[in-house]
Amino acid sequence: MEEALSTDVGLAEHVETGTAPLPGIELAEALHHEQYPALIRFLLYHGASWTEAQDAAQDAFTQMCVPGLSLTHPRAWLRRVAWRCWVSQHVKPEEACAEIPEPETSLRWQTPAHAAELGEEERRVIALLHQLPAKQRAAMAWHLDGFTTEESARAMGTTQAAVRQNLTRARAALRQGMRLEGRFDHERRTT
C-alpha cells in the first residue's frame, strides 16, 4: 500500500516539471488527493465561499478527465480551470457576452474544523487579501500556492513584470493593512 502511495506522490511531484504531456485522467487520479485541498485554498484566497470553491475544484477535476486531454502543466491548468468555473458560477446567462465580472469575495468559507484552526492573524491576512484588487489578489494567490513568477505569468496570461509588480503592491498593501489594524487594536485596548 505504501508503495502505491509513494508512486502517486512521485508522479504528482513530477507532473509539473515534466515536458511530455500526460493523459488528463491519469493526472486527475494522481493529483486529486494532493491537489484538491490546495485547489480549494487557492480559490478561497481569491474570495470564493467554501461551497463555491468545492464545486469549482470538482468541476476542474472532472474536466481534467475528458478523453484525449493531455497536459504538461497540470497544477496550473487545474487552477485556471477552477478559477474560471468559480467565475462562471457568478455569470448569469444574459450576461454571457459581457466582460467577466469580479465575483464578490466572502469570508464565510471556513468549515467548522478549519475555522477552529485559523489563528487571529491568519484571519486578518485573509480579510486583507480579499480587499486587494483582483490582479493583486490573483498574483498573491498563485504565489502563496508555490508558483514562480514565470509560472504565474504564463497561467494568468500576463508578463512576469506585471506579476512582480502586482505582488509588490499586494505585499505593500498587506503590510500597511496589518500595521493599521495593529494600531487600531492597540488603541482599542488602551481606551
Side-chain angles (χ1 to χ4, degrees), residues 139-187:
M140 187 58 77
W142 283 95
H143 174 73
L144 291 173
D145 231 15
F147 286 84
T148 66
T149 54
E150 179 183 353
E151 292 168 330
S152 299
R154 184 175 50 243
M156 294 169 59
T158 188
T159 65
Q160 289 185 54
V163 170
R164 282 192 295 272
Q165 182 181 39
N166 282 310
L167 276 173
T168 300
R169 290 177 178 170
R171 287 181 183 125
L174 290 173
R175 273 193 300 275
Q176 180 66 24
M178 290 300 286
R179 269 190 239 120
L180 290 176
E181 284 191 10
R183 197 173 305 143
F184 178 72
D185 289 344
H186 177 70
E187 290 171 2

Side-chain angles (χ1 to χ4, degrees), residues 39-57 86 89-90 103-111 130:
L39 193 54
I40 288 177
R41 184 186 65 238
F42 176 78
L43 293 167
L44 297 175
Y45 286 152
H46 276 282
S49 71
W50 181 257
T51 54
E52 291 170 341
Q54 286 180 314
D55 288 346
W86 172 57
Q89 292 174 15
H90 297 275
E104 188 175 316
T105 59
S106 168
L107 285 177
R108 300 178 316 273
W109 50 263
Q110 297 95 345
T111 64
H130 288 181

Side-chain angles (χ1 to χ4, degrees), residues 54-165:
Q54 286 180 314
D55 288 346
Q58 191 58 45
D59 285 348
F61 274 104
T62 301
Q63 290 182 35
M64 187 178 255
C65 294
V66 169
L69 180 68
S70 294
L71 302 168
T72 55
H73 302 285
R75 290 176 59 236
W77 184 91
L78 276 170
R79 280 151 182 80
R80 280 193 313 269
V81 172
W83 182 82
R84 288 181 191 138
C85 290
W86 172 57
V87 170
S88 70
Q89 292 174 15
H90 297 275
V91 177
K92 297 176 184 149
E94 61 271 9
E95 297 173 343
C97 294
E99 192 171 315
I100 295 177
E102 175 62 28
E104 188 175 316
T105 59
S106 168
L107 285 177
R108 300 178 316 273
W109 50 263
Q110 297 95 345
T111 64
H114 190 261
E117 294 172 3
L118 282 179
E120 184 178 333
E121 187 172 308
E122 188 176 3
R123 290 175 205 257
R124 290 190 350 223
V125 169
I126 291 171
L128 290 170
L129 185 64
H130 288 181
Q131 294 174 11
L132 294 175
K135 289 181 181 179
Q136 291 177 23
R137 193 170 59 240
M140 187 58 77
W142 283 95
H143 174 73
L144 291 173
D145 231 15
F147 286 84
T148 66
T149 54
E150 179 183 353
E151 292 168 330
S152 299
R154 184 175 50 243
M156 294 169 59
T158 188
T159 65
Q160 289 185 54
V163 170
R164 282 192 295 272
Q165 182 181 39

